[in-house]
Amino acid sequence: RQVWITSRTISGPVDALAGQARKLARGGREGLVPLDHYGTREVALLGDSVLGMARALENRSNYIRDFAAHVSHEFKTPLTGLQGAAELLAEHIETMGEAERRRFLDNIRADADRLQRLVSRLLELARVDNLNVSDSTLALVPALKKLSQSAEADAAHVTVQGPADAIGRISADSLEILVRNLLQNAWQHGARRVDITVHREAGGLRLRFADDGRGISPGNRDRIFKPFFTTRREGGGTGLGLRIVTSVLAAHGGRIALGESEGSAGTGAVFDVWLPSVEAHRR
């Protein structure tokens, strides 16, 4: 009887868990289904950990696969343009007029510039996707005021309001990346003013970025956080700014959402950013 109990509560579940791990290693999705029974609480905790790790790896694998497809698509257009222009120049450069040669060279330069912007943004996204998050904390309002002063030199007016003692769990570098990308997004969509307001809320802090730009059309509201989505492709937009912001926030346990403009319909854009606070962390 003792052997049966041991087999039922320990040996059997451990063997089944090992078999499940082997299925997961081979990429079998059937390994993501919990076992019928785990025998003991300790084995059940181990089983939950294995499944949690497997699901996280699957999600990461899906993200990389989908992102690689997006990257390939984004690179294809300028690369095709470069190849076509280079081939036409090689074949007809002797018979082309000066204006025509210049037009092809301008097209090559534009496609090369787009590739350079894409590579730069992808490198920035790779860095924030692999942030080494520490326990850094920051007084948000003073830090935001400092960042807004440097931003105004390049664009337009930024105001910052909120409690001076609101402490967020984010590093200075990460906050700078977040603010820079959100302000650039506002300037590129016609904003001349951005109001940043910090609010205390249950569980953390909310930072509202409200601008007076062209706003976001109803048809684009569900698409703006998708990688590479941009309404400014011809003007140099890469569609990665908000993705970078999302990754920075995820690394710090925060999130971002599109808010509702308080002005008339179609006036300005509003982004709400949530960050954990020191007070919430202590609770």
Side-chain angles (χ1 to χ4, degrees):
R1 180 175 175 80
Q2 184 67 34
V3 172
W4 182 87
I5 292 174
T6 301
S7 175
R8 173 72 177 174
T9 60
I10 301 177
S11 302
V14 169
D15 288 343
L17 191 57
Q20 186 180 44
R22 287 192 292 271
K23 290 178 183 177
L24 291 170
R26 293 193 297 267
R29 289 187 55 83
E30 66 273 14
L32 291 172
V33 179
L35 299 179
D36 291 335
H37 69 89
Y38 289 94
T40 66
R41 179 176 176 274
E42 289 76 12
V43 177
L45 290 173
L46 178 60
D48 286 343
S49 298
V50 169
L51 287 177
M53 178 183 66
R55 290 181 180 123
L57 289 173
E58 183 185 40
N59 290 338
R60 187 64 177 173
S61 176
N62 290 339
Y63 168 77
I64 293 172
R65 182 196 63 216
D66 294 343
F67 196 79
H70 285 303
V71 170
S72 175
H73 176 76
E74 289 296 317
F75 273 63
K76 184 176 181 179
T77 299
L79 284 173
T80 301
L82 284 169
Q83 184 179 17
E87 289 175 354
L88 285 170
L89 281 172
E91 292 176 9
H92 306 290
I93 193 167
E94 300 297 335
T95 58
M96 280 184 180
E98 176 64 23
E100 195 173 12
R101 284 198 301 269
R102 186 172 298 279
R103 177 168 61 85
F104 276 101
L105 290 172
D106 287 343
N107 289 341
I108 289 174
R109 187 178 297 111
D111 284 331
D113 288 345
R114 174 155 183 80
L115 286 173
Q116 185 177 32
R117 286 192 299 271
L118 280 169
V119 169
S120 297
R121 296 298 257 171
L122 286 169
L123 287 173
E124 184 176 6
L125 181 58
R127 286 195 295 270
V128 300
D129 265 345
N130 294 278
L131 279 176
N132 184 17
V133 180
S134 64
D135 289 330
S136 300
T137 60
L138 201 61
L140 291 178
V141 170
L144 288 167
K145 286 182 177 179
K146 183 177 179 179
L147 290 171
S148 68
Q149 289 170 359
S150 61
E152 283 188 4
D154 300 324
H157 188 55
V158 183
T159 68
V160 179
Q161 294 182 334
D165 60 345
I167 310 297
R169 302 196 66 80
I170 189 170
S171 68
D173 289 342
S174 294
L175 184 68
E176 181 179 3
I177 293 171
L178 184 154
V179 172
R180 172 166 47 82
N181 277 283
L182 286 177
L183 291 183
Q184 284 179 354
N185 187 69
W187 307 149
Q188 290 168 356
H189 289 84
R192 303 304 300 164
R193 176 188 177 97
V194 177
D195 297 319
I196 307 174
T197 312
V198 179
H199 303 272
R200 282 194 174 93
E201 292 189 350
L205 300 164
R206 175 167 59 91
L207 287 65
R208 167 157 286 195
F209 291 74
D211 67 56
D212 63 350
R214 292 186 291 273
I216 300 168
S217 68
N220 289 336
R221 289 182 68 88
D222 294 333
R223 305 169 66 193
I224 58 170
F225 292 110
K226 293 182 178 179
F228 300 107
F229 172 75
T230 177
T231 58
R232 294 186 58 261
R233 196 171 303 279
E234 298 302 321
T238 62
L240 288 173
L242 290 177
R243 177 67 217 185
I244 290 170
V245 170
T246 301
S247 293
V248 168
L249 288 168
H252 291 276
R255 58 188 176 90
I256 184 171
L258 185 61
E260 295 291 341
S261 174
E262 296 178 359
S264 58
T267 302
V270 176
F271 290 94
D272 285 320
V273 170
W274 285 270
L275 281 171
S277 65
V278 173
E279 292 83 358
H281 182 75
R282 286 172 180 167
R283 287 197 294 270

